[in-house]
Amino acid sequence: MDIFCDDKTYIANTYARFPLEIVSGKGAELVGADGRTYIDLASGIAVNTFGMADDEWISAVTKQLNLFQHTSNLYYTKPCVMLAKELCKRTGMKKVFFANSGAEANECAIKAARKYAALKKGKDTYTIITLKNSFHGRTITTLAATGQDVFHEQFLPLTEGFVYANANDIDDVKAKIAENKIAAIMFEVVQGEGGVNPLTKDFVEALSEIAKKEDILLIADEVQTGNGRTGKLYGYMNYPVTPDIVTTAKGLGGGLPIGVAMLGDKVKDIYGAGDHGSTFGGNPVVCAGALNILSRITDELLDEVQAKSKLIFDTLEGAEGVLSVTGLGLMIGIETKKPALDVISSCMENGVLVIKAKNKVRLLPPLNIEFEQLKAALEVIKKACKN
Ligand SMILES: *Cc1c(COP(=O)(O)O)cnc(C)c1O
């Protein structure tokens, strides 16, 4: 079988894949079908929080798998309730809804915001402000929420009720509030797909003040920034803000599909039976794994994430061919003199996997990558950026 050829023949052309088949791995190391070992600084796009084939996570997942795999949400199961309770304890949010992806988590947040605003302010208040250059998912509604025209053009008409403000421009947000009846403001504290751009503290603080004053809900999309990635359990914890809704996905599952909308005080009881749902949401195998991941995102681990982050900034800032380094924790964007794809290819040839975000090279290593692995990978990146 020629996997590259069969993939091209039988799989829809939605992905530009790197020419590498992965066959196994452990932690931050991957093994390709070419027999080579790679250091993985992508983690399946911030999903494999503790890297490949993590023993503790496998054990949590298989333990549940051996009991039963699925029941539907018509019955009670322990793993999803325990995970919900733990998420609320660790964030101060009040209730959670389980889905299977980031886009679905955001759909749940958007529906919650619409219902809340309709009840509080009337049915004509449904517009949500999102930020330009944001990314919130691929469904027709989360695509509408995504503040990038390039993703919209071929799929019109999208769900109405979204307006886009410039990131870090509070006057623009205020103008949008003046022009529209606003239900919510949705943002990533670090825009991931948009090029790893953190919001400023001043901007987030100002958002928080306006939202409080106008009873506008704040929705933090923590699909990528969540679950320890930024050096805090959730990215918003780096900022002076308490969102009304926090969505997450990617890294919480540790490699199995999960999406969560965490509902704060204002919206904790917004949903009634039948308002929303998901067949697979809260799946016990996925939740048992996620519970294991969450329990291991300790203060000690978060300190380590911050130390690794510092190592990356210290090594790459000012290095030859590096124009800028942005990001928080282990979510890093590198603006390079050479085209990002050239740097990425050169890294891959030299045994290091990194990915792209807009014009930047993006690093999302597993949180438990060893310092020595990270150092070795950074040397390869430095070399690739040079000349
Ligand atoms: C990846 C991502 C999504 C979409 O998640 P899916 O699981 O692919 O649906 C939404 N928001 C942000 C910030 C993301 O990074």
Side-chain angles (χ1 to χ4, degrees):
M1 164 183 150
D2 181 337
I3 191 169
F4 298 136
C5 182
D6 284 355
D7 183 293
K8 197 172 164 48
T9 307
Y10 296 111
I11 295 185
N13 311 318
T14 55
Y15 304 109
R17 295 192 212 278
F18 294 110
L20 170 65
E21 180 196 350
I22 291 165
V23 292
S24 67
K26 201 77 197 167
E29 268 185 13
L30 303 187
V31 180
D34 56 6
R36 295 184 60 194
T37 299
Y38 296 84
I39 301 176
D40 173 26
L41 301 189
S43 310
I45 319 185
V47 165
N48 297 334
T49 300
F50 292 99
M52 293 281 271
D54 175 74
D55 289 326
E56 274 193 52
W57 175 79
I58 290 176
S59 145
V61 165
T62 49
K63 194 173 155 212
Q64 178 57 42
L65 199 47
N66 282 309
L67 291 172
F68 63 90
Q69 76 278 29
H70 175 81
T71 60
S72 85
N73 281 303
L74 301 175
Y75 306 97
Y76 293 90
T77 60
K78 268 216 179 76
C80 80
V81 180
M82 286 165 66
L83 177 60
K85 191 171 172 183
E86 199 54 30
L87 283 167
C88 288
K89 263 206 332 227
R90 301 273 307 263
T91 61
M93 294 288 129
K94 301 299 184 204
K95 291 193 177 182
V96 316
F97 176 84
F98 287 118
N100 316 285
S101 67
E104 282 178 88
N106 287 338
E107 290 270 350
C108 173
I110 291 163
K111 281 176 73 173
R114 283 193 167 183
K115 188 171 176 192
Y116 177 84
L119 288 171
K120 283 285 285 257
K121 298 179 172 176
K123 280 200 167 142
D124 55 349
T125 301
Y126 54 78
T127 300
I128 295 176
I129 298 176
T130 62
L131 300 180
K132 286 182 188 158
N133 213 32
S134 58
F135 184 84
H136 297 296
R138 302 282 192 170
T139 63
I140 285 290
T141 297
T142 55
L143 207 52
T146 293
Q148 302 190 54
D149 290 341
V150 287
F151 289 120
H152 294 176
E153 279 149 14
Q154 303 174 82
F155 305 106
L156 302 172
L158 302 179
T159 306
E160 60 180 301
F162 291 90
V163 295
Y164 314 102
N166 293 315
N168 294 325
D169 181 350
I170 200 65
D171 290 332
D172 195 27
V173 172
K174 284 178 182 165
K176 298 295 182 290
I177 292 173
E179 290 159 14
N180 305 275
K181 291 180 185 297
I182 299 298
I185 304 171
M186 181 153 131
F187 56 92
E188 305 150 84
V189 288
V190 183
Q191 295 188 330
E193 303 305 309
V196 200
N197 307 309
L199 298 181
T200 63
K201 284 217 160 78
D202 286 350
F203 177 71
V204 175
E205 190 167 23
L207 279 186
S208 180
E209 274 166 26
I210 296 175
K212 215 170 274 166
K213 201 171 102 219
E214 310 269 347
D215 195 9
I216 290 170
L217 297 174
L218 287 183
I219 305 172
D221 176 346
E222 298 259 8
V223 171
Q224 193 162 154
T225 50
N227 314 299
R229 178 57 51 191
T230 66
K232 301 275 183 195
L233 180 59
Y234 287 96
Y236 76 83
M237 295 170 176
N238 292 288
Y239 290 84
V241 65
T242 306
D244 299 293
I245 303 177
V246 177
T247 63
T248 196
K250 292 192 169 97
L252 180 61
L256 286 173
I258 191 168
V260 187
M262 297 181 241
L263 308 171
D265 222 13
K266 282 186 177 177
V267 286
K268 67 175 193 286
D269 293 318
I270 199 66
Y271 281 124
D275 277 353
H276 199 50
S278 164
T279 299
F280 280 113
N283 173 276
V285 177
V286 175
C287 287
L291 203 51
N292 173 265
I293 298 290
L294 187 60
S295 75
R296 292 158 67 195
I297 306 176
T298 57
D299 288 345
E300 198 186 347
L301 179 82
L302 294 171
D303 287 347
E304 223 178 80
V305 167
Q306 289 175 18
K308 287 167 189 169
S309 181
K310 186 170 181 308
L311 175 67
I312 296 173
F313 276 96
D314 288 350
T315 309
L316 296 180
E317 268 183 330
E320 203 181 324
V322 173
L323 301 177
S324 72
V325 185
T326 57
L328 263 182
L330 289 177
M331 182 171 177
I332 303 278
I334 312 164
E335 191 189 354
T336 53
K337 218 162 173 180
K338 287 205 259 179
L341 269 180
D342 292 358
V343 175
I344 292 167
S345 302
S346 163
C347 285
M348 198 162 139
E349 277 162 30
N350 291 291
V352 172
L353 302 184
V354 296
I355 56 176
K356 211 161 91 78
K358 280 281 166 70
N359 61 330
K360 292 185 188 172
V361 176
R362 179 169 37 158
L363 314 184
L364 297 162
L367 305 187
N368 64 338
I369 187 172
E370 289 167 17
F371 276 95
E372 290 312 311
Q373 290 172 321
L374 185 57
K375 276 182 200 160
L378 288 172
E379 285 313 306
V380 170
I381 294 170
K382 252 168 76 173
K383 232 186 238 161
C385 292
K386 231 196 246 180
N387 64 61

